[in-house]
């Protein structure tokens, strides 16, 4: 077992109106793990203001209180938030602009999808797609994915975790910021129910080599490779994401990874 010590949120005050999806500027609170494993380190996070269109601002004001949350220490009550019980739940870390998220959701209408993203304009685009498409099975959390998993979800509470095209942090001195680390895989595994699925995709050759070294590092996870036709959750990403498209334009090879919780 491992324990976590969470830095005090009161050290990072914000004057924004509650419910508008704002986060404090500067270095965010960060969980301290005592597992001896490697976890991505957060740098300072700054957010540009005024980057939403007027229409996005209106949609955010109206719909975010129902569809979105900001990182905090209150555990997510999944059944209450989605207004239904007994449905599998998947967390997507780093949903970006949500293109793939919104496209996949109607194909898995019985699954609860929680998109986690730091960048507010990306969440605004996804929120707009959810509202316009009347997509009922997507909710959103603004925050760092590792922090959200550690602080807002209990052990064995999720059926899947997705990480599509995470920032590769290509410079060697920044590799410690890569989200795929031994500690992150351990944290994900602890949040998955037995049989739950981890799905990672990257188009960065250096990151793929990094992940290749970690596929067997977490004893609670069984590496299934790719493809895995018997996966109990949808693994067809339906559409090409923004970052995937950029990679394909450069003739990058897409690598996908699947694990299941033992």
């Amino acid at each position: 077992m491992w324990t976590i010590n969470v830095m005090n949120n009161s050290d990072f005050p914000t004057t924004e109106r509650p419910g508008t999806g704002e986060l404090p500027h500067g270095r965010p609170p960060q969980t301290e793990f005592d597992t001896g494993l490697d976890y991505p380190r957060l740098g300072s996070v700054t957010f540009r203001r005024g980057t939403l269109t007027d229409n996005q601002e209106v949609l955010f004001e109206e719909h975010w209180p129902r569809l979105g949350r900001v990182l905090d220490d209150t555990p997510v009550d999944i059944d209450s938030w989605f207004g239904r019980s007994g449905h599998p739940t998947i967390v997507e870390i780093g949903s970006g602009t949500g293109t793939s998220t919104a496209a996949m959701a109607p194909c898995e209408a019985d699954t609860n999808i929680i998109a986690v993203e730091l960048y507010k304009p990306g969440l605004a685009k996804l929120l707009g797609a959810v509202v316009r498409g009347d997509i009922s099975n997507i909710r959103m959390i603004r925050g760092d994915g590792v922090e959200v998993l550690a602080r807002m979800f209990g052990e064995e509470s999720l059926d899947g975790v997705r990480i599509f095209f995470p920032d590769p942090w290509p410079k060697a001195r920044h590799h410690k910021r890569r989200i795929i680390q031994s500690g992150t895989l351990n944290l994900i595994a602890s949040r998955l129910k037995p049989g739950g699925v981890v799905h990672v995709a990257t188009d960065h050759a250096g990151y793929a080599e990094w992940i290749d070294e970690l596929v067997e590092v977490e004893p609670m996870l069984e590496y299934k490779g790719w493809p895995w036709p018997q996966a109990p959750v949808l693994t067809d990403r339906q559409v090409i994401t923004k970052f995937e498209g950029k990679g394909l334009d450069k003739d990058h090879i897409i690598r996908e990874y699947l694990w299941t919780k033992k």
Side-chain angles (χ1 to χ4, degrees):
M1 296 292 293
W2 48 261
T3 59
I4 57 176
N5 299 310
V6 179
M7 298 171 64
N8 192 341
N9 271 332
S10 64
D11 294 335
F12 302 87
T14 178
T15 58
E16 299 291 341
R17 298 185 305 280
T20 57
E22 296 301 331
L23 283 171
H25 286 241
R27 185 175 294 275
Q30 185 151 346
T31 300
E32 297 294 332
F33 297 89
D34 63 1
T35 63
L37 301 175
D38 296 323
Y39 296 84
R41 296 292 87 187
L42 290 174
S44 295
V45 179
T46 57
F47 303 107
R48 292 170 293 174
R49 296 179 184 274
T51 54
L52 303 192
T53 67
D54 290 343
N55 185 54
Q56 286 175 330
E57 290 281 7
V58 170
L59 286 175
F60 226 90
E61 290 282 349
E62 180 178 356
H63 297 283
W64 180 260
R66 175 176 62 90
L67 298 174
R69 290 183 55 173
V70 173
L71 171 67
D72 61 23
D73 295 312
T74 304
V76 174
D77 184 334
I78 295 172
D79 290 352
S80 175
W81 201 11
F82 284 86
R84 60 185 188 178
S85 61
H87 291 260
T89 299
I90 292 175
V91 167
E92 181 180 345
I93 296 175
S95 55
T97 59
T99 305
S100 181
T101 313
M104 292 177 72
C107 300
E108 46 188 348
D110 289 336
T111 300
N112 302 325
I113 309 297
I114 299 176
V116 179
E117 175 59 49
L118 272 169
Y119 189 49
K120 185 176 179 180
L123 289 169
K125 288 183 179 180
L126 176 56
L127 185 145
V130 168
V131 172
R132 290 190 300 271
D134 194 24
I135 302 172
S136 63
N137 61 324
I138 291 179
R139 300 292 184 270
M140 289 154 277
I141 298 177
R142 189 177 184 200
D144 172 76
V146 171
E147 295 302 306
V148 169
L149 284 179
R151 296 162 59 185
M152 300 184 74
F153 292 96
E155 294 188 2
E156 298 191 353
S157 60
L158 301 173
D159 297 270
V161 173
R162 295 168 174 161
I163 306 176
F164 296 154
F165 304 95
D167 192 325
W169 293 106
K171 295 181 180 179
R173 69 177 183 271
H174 292 152
H175 285 180
K176 62 186 178 181
R177 295 187 180 184
R178 288 176 168 174
I179 191 169
I180 306 301
Q181 308 266 0
S182 60
T184 310
L185 291 171
N186 176 257
L187 173 62
I188 291 172
S190 74
R191 271 38 185 170
L192 289 176
K193 300 174 184 177
V197 174
V198 187
H199 184 183
V200 175
T202 184
D203 70 330
H204 189 276
Y207 208 160
E209 292 176 1
W210 173 278
I211 299 171
D212 287 341
E213 296 294 323
L214 295 172
V215 293
E216 304 287 353
V217 73
E218 175 47 53
M220 288 189 288
L221 295 176
E222 178 183 354
Y223 181 56
K224 307 298 288 188
W226 178 268
W228 178 25
Q230 292 77 35
V233 299
L234 183 66
T235 58
D236 179 1
R237 290 181 286 105
Q238 303 299 307
V239 299
I240 295 175
T241 69
K242 173 183 176 182
F243 292 102
E244 183 177 3
K246 288 182 177 180
L248 291 174
D249 288 342
K250 299 176 182 178
D251 296 323
H252 290 187
I253 296 173
I254 308 300
R255 292 286 305 278
E256 312 227 16
Y257 300 83
L258 291 168
W259 295 260
T260 186
K261 170 77 172 286
K262 296 178 181 178

